[in-house]
Amino acid sequence: MNDLILPSLKTSHALTGPAPKADAHAHNRAVRGDVAHIRYAGQVFVSHYAVPMPRAVGAAGAVLRNAGREDAEAIGSLPAGEIFNLLDKAGGWAWGQQGEDGLVGYLPLTALEP
């Protein structure tokens, strides 16, 4: 007999967030599943909104990637002195946006000036 109120305990129910919307400007929108730029408060629902911390890219420049790891796809490069608006950091990687409305992605924290 099937219980219509409680599903079978043998069934796997993975928890996932909402499916991302196809967005032509996804690489320019500082929104991630858990955090977003403070400018999106009231427009998108995430657990945290971050005020950007402007940091200069170091003398060697930096490669911006779509994930926080060396083998992730490169989506752009930032020259020395470029402003990177840091929104989150974890595991030696910075997530943020190039300037005010540039590309959004990850770069090594070591690529930023202290």
Side-chain angles (χ1 to χ4, degrees), residues 20-106:
K21 294 180 181 177
D23 186 349
H25 303 288
H27 286 303
N28 294 79
R29 194 164 178 223
V31 175
R32 206 171 63 183
D34 60 336
V35 64
H37 190 295
I38 190 71
R39 77 168 68 115
Y40 295 110
Q43 297 175 35
V44 298
F45 180 76
V46 293
S47 58
H48 295 89
Y49 298 94
V51 174
M53 296 179 288
R55 302 276 299 274
V57 174
V63 174
L64 195 64
R65 300 189 179 279
N66 68 353
R69 54 181 205 275
E70 285 295 328
D71 64 344
E73 177 187 354
I75 57 174
S77 61
L78 284 69
E82 180 85 30
I83 296 300
F84 182 77
N85 282 313
L86 179 65
L87 296 168
D88 189 29
K89 58 184 179 176
W93 289 87
W95 178 75
Q97 187 166 25
Q98 177 184 18
E100 291 300 314
D101 57 0
L103 293 173
V104 174
Y106 296 81

